[in-house]
Amino acid sequence: MPSATASSISTAAISPPWMKDAVTKMEQELGAKYGRSQQARVNKGVQQVAEFWRAGDGDAAAFEEFVRSNFAGDQAALDSLFNRYEHLLEQLDGHMHEINREFRNQMDLDLGPVLPYDELFGGYDPSAHVIDDFFQNKLAFIALLNFPLTTLEERLQNGPSWTRRQWAEVRLAERFSKRIPADVNLGIFQAEAESGQYIAEYNIWMHHLVDDKGQRLFPPKMRLLSHWNLRDEIKSDYADTKNGLTGQRMIQQVMERIVTQTIPAMVINNPAVDWNPFTNEVRPAAVSDSDVPPATAQKVSNAREPDTRYAMLQRTFYASAKADPYSPTAPTMIARRFDEDREIPEAKVKAMLEQVLTSPLVPQVAKLIQSRLGRPLEPFDIWYNGFRPGNQYSEAQLDAIVAKRFPTAEAYQKDIPNILMKLGFAPDRAQYVADHIVVDPARGSGHAMGANMRSAKAHLRTRVEKNGMNYKGFNIAVHEMGHNVEQTFSLNDVDHTLLQGVPNTAFTEALAMVLQGHDLEILGLQAPDAKSEAEKTLNEFWSTYEISGVAMVDMAVWHWMYDHPQATPKQLNDATVQISKDIWNRYYAPVFQQKDVVLLGIYSHMIDSFMYLPDYPIGHMIAFQVEEQMKKAGAIGPEFERMTKMGDVTPDLWMVNATGKPVGPEALLTATQKALAAVGGGS
Ligand SMILES: [Zn+2]
């Protein structure tokens, strides 16, 4: 792929040649005009504009005139500018979001058939070109001239002492911290679509897996998408005492073939052939469970998949690296993920993951799993699913209670104040939140949509069956309502709309899960007992242990790609296999007593999601911190409101305000220790 190598343009090369002199001239001119007190602001602002100014934005005279007439040189001018931007950007975000929401209604709500044009409306994003437009009409440059861009290091170091207004100014400038050309953005979009498509079609036809005796362990028509369905089949196989273990071993073998790319290309998404994943033999299908006719013997081959998995991953890397020169404060994809999206430094994330991976609780929980399984652990037991909260009520009992109470979406809407009061919100605050939420009947299982501007309301989309809501729908509705409650406070009660929201999605998920965890109490039923809570905690801990290693692989692979931009897909394959083994050997082999396992490399997100995986373990940690604080505080309501009014600052600053401590795994580990004691495991 000669056209698709990593970019090597530097920021300096895209700046006009006259820029350096023009910057010096304007720094002096504005410094003389507004005085010493403004000099630092002048220099930073002029340099920020220069960084993003291209030849097409105007010549030296135009640049100078722009800077001269748009610098807010005194506090009054700066206040007006700030207030206008804050108000108008809120309107822009809110109304764009409103258009999006309306355009998607036919697809999202229970409103009858979806026609082809409904999908086109639903797929349209009116805000797609806003940033380009704002550079074009120079509104972005005015913001950059007057408000500071910051690095994550500065936000972490100085953020705690900034005023709220300073924080809002930082978030305002940040919107314009990148000026990525349209063709680069398009390339990223295409790489994402292409790799997503590759993943979406990566099915294994399970009935066509045969063992050495030619036996088929899995039923006809079973088609599992890698890795999600394969992993979930491993989980459900724990319940099958007869064939479960053999099936799990076979799936592990399939996964390893995918990671190492020794999987025969022909067996992917193909019911025309049978495959023995141990010997790697491929034959024409001896049975038929689809419309596809069996392959003929001449056409069958076990030629391996030619590193397509890694070519896809590399494509996402090349595409995103092309944006590097246009993102001066976060000049790599890795930096954009950690410094911008997560706002937790990579080194700190790594340390948090290591704290879980090397925790002395791991061998204790492993021992408990081993005793429950009655056999030594095998590598696929990273997906053990035997920790289960016991249910004191049957699903049918719960369905009946819920259907009676919520026959329609309107019934749920009317009950929101009562629900919130049950969760400890004062009556006036419960009513206030309820007044900001509109309940709509959803087509799917349900979701929440914030308002994004104060003049609009949040939307709760919930599923109501013909004979009323069922328990599953109710449980989801409470979760989604948790998002709406957060959205209401973090938009309407935060002091600056520029700070609306929470630091990242892990926070809103953690808050939603807190409400969801109390759904039985809302129904006036008994809360889950201590034993049941303990099982839930152990399950979360084991998942965090598993996904922490997966996240480490994802991070290491991206570093490898940046270090080896000219590598072939085969070399990336070899490197990923080695990284997966190294991380396994360091953190899992001592527990599983087996070396060189490559399973950690199986996640599909690693191929098409641009280093998204570390969000999962961080999310688990945050959820435990928030939950622990709620328990400490007693009533959920007031604590929920206090936490969410902090808005979109760095995760650590938010968490210190919420719980007194920065983001970290301690709450998860403490809860796990207690859970082990409660179920009588550990030592
Ligand atoms: Zn959610």
Side-chain angles (χ1 to χ4, degrees):
M1 284 171 277
S3 63
T5 51
S7 160
S8 57
I9 324 166
S10 73
T11 314
I14 49 184
S15 190
W18 46 261
M19 188 52 94
K20 221 172 145 239
D21 294 339
V23 166
T24 312
K25 180 179 167 195
M26 291 319 293
E27 284 175 358
Q28 283 167 357
E29 185 184 317
L30 292 182
K33 184 169 173 192
Y34 295 109
R36 221 170 249 281
S37 67
Q38 295 293 320
Q39 189 69 58
R41 271 195 65 232
V42 165
N43 294 359
K44 191 164 172 65
V46 172
Q47 279 158 26
Q48 285 181 173
V49 172
E51 188 129 48
F52 292 94
W53 194 278
R54 311 276 177 263
D57 295 315
D59 58 11
F63 170 81
E64 290 165 15
E65 186 45 39
F66 170 82
V67 169
R68 194 174 288 128
S69 46
N70 287 292
F71 183 73
D74 60 65
Q75 196 58 42
L78 191 62
D79 289 349
S80 303
L81 179 65
F82 173 83
N83 290 331
R84 201 94 86 248
Y85 265 76
E86 176 161 59
H87 174 68
L88 294 176
L89 289 175
E90 182 202 346
Q91 300 311 306
L92 178 75
D93 293 347
H95 287 290
M96 286 295 183
H97 177 71
E98 187 177 33
I99 293 173
N100 262 325
R101 193 189 64 229
E102 291 294 324
F103 275 28
R104 290 191 55 88
N105 272 352
Q106 191 67 25
M107 289 174 75
D108 287 344
L109 302 184
D110 193 11
L111 296 173
V114 174
L115 298 166
Y117 53 81
D118 291 317
E119 291 184 28
L120 292 177
F121 274 114
Y124 175 72
D125 178 6
S127 67
H129 304 112
V130 162
I131 297 292
D132 284 345
D133 294 346
F134 272 44
F135 274 104
Q136 208 87 55
N137 65 20
K138 305 222 167 27
L139 283 167
F141 283 116
I142 294 174
L144 289 167
L145 180 60
N146 289 285
F147 303 108
L149 287 175
T150 55
T151 60
L152 175 60
E153 210 185 326
E154 288 168 325
R155 294 194 290 284
L156 292 175
Q157 196 134 56
N158 309 327
S161 58
W162 285 340
T163 63
R164 297 287 293 176
R165 161 77 181 262
Q166 276 176 299
W167 260 108
E169 291 187 2
V170 163
R171 291 307 194 210
L172 167 51
E174 236 163 49
R175 287 171 178 247
F176 309 108
S177 68
K178 283 187 275 297
R179 189 184 189 184
I180 299 171
D183 62 322
V184 174
N185 272 330
L186 184 66
I188 296 172
F189 179 76
Q190 282 168 342
E192 190 176 10
E194 207 179 340
S195 56
Q197 187 67 24
Y198 166 78
I199 290 300
E201 287 168 1
Y202 209 109
N203 292 297
I204 302 297
W205 285 79
M206 301 303 282
H207 193 53
H208 295 272
L209 298 182
V210 294
D211 65 13
D212 291 344
K213 291 176 210 130
Q215 294 184 91
R216 294 164 204 277
L217 291 172
F218 300 96
K221 294 188 193 296
M222 185 187 244
R223 201 181 61 157
L224 300 183
L225 183 65
S226 178
H227 72 284
W228 297 276
N229 298 156
L230 291 173
R231 178 201 60 194
D232 291 348
E233 182 60 25
I234 287 179
K235 286 181 181 241
S236 59
D237 280 348
Y238 283 104
D240 178 353
T241 48
K242 192 162 153 270
N243 290 323
L245 185 58
T246 333
Q248 287 169 326
R249 286 176 180 153
M250 191 177 252
I251 295 174
Q252 177 181 329
Q253 180 68 20
V254 170
M255 287 176 157
E256 290 178 343
R257 294 269 182 214
I258 295 172
V259 175
T260 57
Q261 291 284 276
T262 53
I263 184 172
M266 232 195 148
V267 309
I268 302 161
N269 208 13
N270 187 4
V273 289
D274 290 340
W275 172 40
N276 179 331
F278 297 96
T279 63
N280 229 10
E281 190 186 351
V282 181
R283 288 187 181 180
V287 296
S288 174
D289 61 347
S290 73
D291 299 337
V292 181
T296 54
Q298 303 91 300
K299 280 198 187 148
V300 168
S301 137
N302 75 344
R304 68 181 196 92
E305 184 180 21
D307 303 310
T308 317
R309 179 178 176 84
Y310 298 99
M312 287 292 160
L313 170 58
Q314 250 179 342
R315 209 159 292 184
T316 67
F317 161 65
Y318 291 144
S320 41
K322 285 211 160 73
D324 292 353
Y326 308 101
S327 175
T329 42
T332 64
M333 182 63 204
I334 301 172
R336 291 192 282 284
R337 272 299 195 213
F338 286 97
D339 297 1
E340 293 183 343
D341 302 342
R342 300 189 178 104
E343 291 199 292
I344 309 175
E346 187 184 9
K348 185 185 165 175
V349 170
K350 207 170 159 206
M352 296 193 311
L353 300 181
E354 265 168 347
Q355 214 178 323
V356 172
L357 289 164
T358 59
S359 161
L361 294 167
V362 170
Q364 293 178 41
V365 176
K367 208 172 120 196
L368 178 61
I369 294 175
Q370 197 159 308
S371 78
R372 286 190 181 184
L373 288 171
R375 60 163 171 79
L377 294 187
E378 301 207 18
F380 58 78
D381 289 320
I382 52 175
W383 293 302
Y384 174 73
N385 82 336
F387 293 121
R388 294 228 179 123
N391 284 329
Q392 40 199 326
Y393 306 98
S394 73
E395 188 97 4
Q397 271 176 309
L398 293 172
D399 282 347
I401 294 167
V402 171
K404 193 168 162 220
R405 183 146 164 201
F406 306 113
T408 60
E410 297 86 73
Y412 189 93
Q413 168 103 55
K414 266 201 198 125
D415 211 32
I416 292 177
N418 292 321
I419 293 174
L420 293 175
M421 283 191 288
K422 273 250 157 65
L423 295 167
F425 287 88
D428 61 324
R429 299 312 281 162
Q431 190 58 51
Y432 168 79
V433 175
D435 290 343
H436 282 86
I437 301 175
V438 179
V439 180
D440 305 314
R443 187 182 291 278
S445 62
H447 58 269
M449 248 186 207
N452 291 23
M453 62 178 171
R454 288 179 178 170
S455 56
K457 293 182 180 191
H459 285 249
L460 171 61
R461 272 70 191 276
T462 176
R463 176 107 198 142
V464 181
E465 306 298 336
K466 297 247 168 334
N467 34 9
M469 206 181 246
N470 60 29
Y471 173 67
K472 199 171 165 216
F474 169 72
N475 179 270
I476 295 172
V478 175
H479 174 98
E480 302 303 337
M481 186 187 68
H483 285 306
N484 290 140
V485 178
E486 175 268 292
Q487 288 156 350
T488 299
F489 289 130
S490 72
L491 168 64
N492 297 282
D493 296 76
V494 75
D495 46 6
H496 284 285
T497 54
L498 284 166
L499 293 175
Q500 69 171 281
V502 288
N504 59 46
T505 44
F507 287 79
T508 183
E509 288 308 328
L511 290 158
M513 279 185 293
V514 167
L515 292 208
Q516 188 177 14
H518 291 270
D519 65 335
L520 292 179
E521 289 136 277
I522 293 171
L523 295 173
L525 303 173
Q526 221 174 352
D529 61 10
K531 193 123 186 163
S532 162
E533 286 278 320
E535 291 280 326
K536 197 172 146 210
T537 298
L538 291 171
N539 185 46
E540 299 272 323
F541 172 76
W542 196 248
S543 311
T544 311
Y545 170 58
E546 176 258 337
I547 199 75
S548 292
V550 171
M552 293 279 253
V553 171
D554 200 10
M555 289 156 66
V557 166
W558 272 84
H559 275 283
W560 192 91
M561 290 194 290
Y562 264 102
D563 292 343
H564 302 85
Q566 310 298 336
T568 62
K570 175 74 176 106
Q571 287 170 322
L572 177 57
N573 177 359
D574 294 342
T576 305
V577 166
Q578 194 54 49
I579 288 166
S580 303
K581 284 183 188 171
D582 288 346
I583 288 170
W584 178 273
N585 290 346
R586 200 169 323 147
Y587 303 114
Y588 299 82
V591 177
F592 289 81
Q593 305 296 327
Q594 231 188 90
K595 291 193 92 169
D596 290 340
V597 175
V598 302
L599 278 187
L600 299 170
I602 190 60
Y603 270 66
S604 293
H605 309 79
M606 203 175 82
I607 306 306
D608 72 343
S609 302
F610 303 82
M611 218 178 12
Y612 174 75
L613 284 162
D615 281 355
Y616 287 111
I618 301 169
H620 284 295
M621 296 175 199
I622 289 171
F624 272 88
Q625 289 184 283
V626 168
E627 180 69 45
E628 184 190 62
Q629 178 62 27
M630 294 291 183
K631 279 189 186 135
K632 233 187 257 171
I636 292 169
E639 200 59 8
F640 199 103
E641 186 170 349
R642 181 184 72 80
M643 285 182 183
T644 47
K645 272 155 73 169
M646 189 69 176
D648 179 18
V649 293
T650 52
D652 273 352
L653 192 52
W654 194 99
M655 198 56 95
V656 167
N657 174 69
T659 72
K661 286 191 189 132
V663 172
E666 288 79 10
L668 166 67
L669 299 177
T670 310
T672 305
Q673 184 115 48
K674 280 190 199 145
L676 267 177
V679 301
S683 48

